[in-house]
Amino acid sequence: MRTNDLILKTTTNIIVFIILAFSFKLFLAGHNMPGGGFIGGLMTAGAIILMYLTYGLGPIKKVIRVPFTFLIALGLAIAVATGLGSFIFEQPFLSQTDGYFYLPILGKTHLATAVLFDIGVYLTVIGVTMTIILSIAEDQ
Amino acid sequence: MNEIALMFLHWSVLVSLVTVSISILLLLYRTIKGPTNPDRAIGLDAMGITLIALAALVAIQLNTTFFNEVILLIGILAFIGTVAIAKFIEKGVIIDHDRDKS
């Protein structure tokens, strides 16, 4: 029987963008406010799970082409690469630095290399969460 | 004048905390006792919303803004959880294979 979920689909189309924006805000706010890569990745995974709940496995697989196990590997590689990058400047492993830069639109911005490590955490959390949930869901 | 306003804020937050806690207890009664599963689902959803109110009141009481993320987070998680529970009650599966062909 084919059911009609017009309300759920319309609500999801709007709310997913809000959740993604909120998760990105949490990810960027981690340096000075509550938040960070872990909770940002979990919220992004929550948005993707909401899409899977609404549209099912098949249509979302056509939309999100990146396999989630690849995201785990990419996140871990980025985290290790930020650790190894400190060897270039002859510093101990995982040394972090930061500084103030003048960007074209944003003006004076505080940029830290800890954000790069956080990107690794973010991608790994998304990959692990989605791999766990999808491998449970596909087993019918 | 300022002290009176502060005392009014303090007492109103305290009274609201007690009221919201009592409503959480009543929702807990409905969640445990509820005759059918949709009753329990709605009880849990409303409990999430009262938890948002509790977090906001505690944020006012502690005089901090760091709970704002928690408030949004509880709202989003309660929504996703309620949608998942509703799909489970209605269909038996939470993530099905293809919505448009089943």
Side-chain angles (χ1 to χ4, degrees):
Chain A
M1 187 188 78
R2 188 175 163 186
T3 52
N4 189 3
D5 309 328
L6 182 64
I7 295 176
L8 179 61
K9 283 181 179 174
T10 313
T11 319
T12 301
N13 289 344
I14 299 168
I15 284 180
V16 158
F17 285 104
I18 300 174
I19 301 178
L20 285 176
F22 177 56
S23 73
F24 192 63
K25 185 257 170 195
L26 275 179
F27 168 68
L28 286 183
H31 206 75
N32 302 315
M33 294 270 291
F38 186 77
I39 188 68
L42 275 182
M43 284 326 284
T44 309
I48 300 172
I49 287 168
L50 187 60
M51 288 197 282
Y52 271 105
L53 280 175
T54 309
Y55 290 102
L57 281 176
I60 300 299
K61 275 221 173 109
K62 285 181 204 152
V63 174
I64 304 174
R65 299 291 184 87
V66 185
F68 290 111
T69 45
F70 176 71
L71 280 189
I72 304 176
L74 184 67
L76 290 176
I78 288 174
V80 171
T82 58
L84 293 179
S86 55
F87 286 150
I88 300 174
F89 303 100
E90 295 179 347
Q91 294 289 322
F93 185 58
L94 278 176
S95 296
Q96 307 286 338
T97 181
D98 59 335
Y100 288 92
F101 297 94
Y102 287 92
L103 296 184
I105 298 171
L106 298 171
K108 188 181 178 187
T109 315
H110 182 218
L111 294 179
T113 54
V115 177
L116 296 175
F117 187 80
D118 237 14
I119 289 176
V121 177
Y122 181 78
L123 292 178
T124 311
V125 168
I126 295 175
V128 169
T129 315
M130 293 315 295
T131 307
I132 290 172
I133 288 177
L134 289 186
S135 52
I136 292 172
E138 280 167 350
D139 181 40
Q140 313 198 15
Chain B
M1 182 59 207
N2 201 13
E3 283 183 11
I4 295 174
L6 274 181
M7 229 175 79
F8 183 72
L9 179 70
H10 176 77
W11 280 103
S12 52
V13 165
L14 220 60
V15 169
S16 313
L17 273 173
V18 172
T19 316
V20 167
S21 310
I22 291 171
S23 72
I24 283 184
L25 282 180
L26 294 175
L27 283 167
L28 189 67
Y29 171 76
R30 177 49 66 205
T31 307
I32 294 171
K33 191 72 192 274
T36 59
N37 277 335
D39 284 330
R40 297 191 174 96
I42 290 175
L44 281 175
D45 190 40
M47 214 190 278
I49 292 165
T50 39
L51 268 180
I52 294 174
L54 207 62
L57 288 168
V58 169
I60 295 173
Q61 183 76 342
L62 296 179
N63 201 5
T64 174
T65 57
F66 287 151
F67 282 180
N68 296 354
E69 278 87 7
V70 178
I71 292 167
L72 278 168
L73 215 66
I74 298 173
I76 292 168
L77 289 184
F79 174 72
I80 295 177
T82 310
V83 169
I85 292 174
K87 264 197 87 172
F88 180 73
I89 289 174
E90 191 186 359
K91 285 177 170 282
V93 308
I94 293 180
I95 299 178
D96 45 8
H97 221 73
D98 199 341
R99 274 335 286 268
D100 294 331
K101 283 174 190 161
S102 60

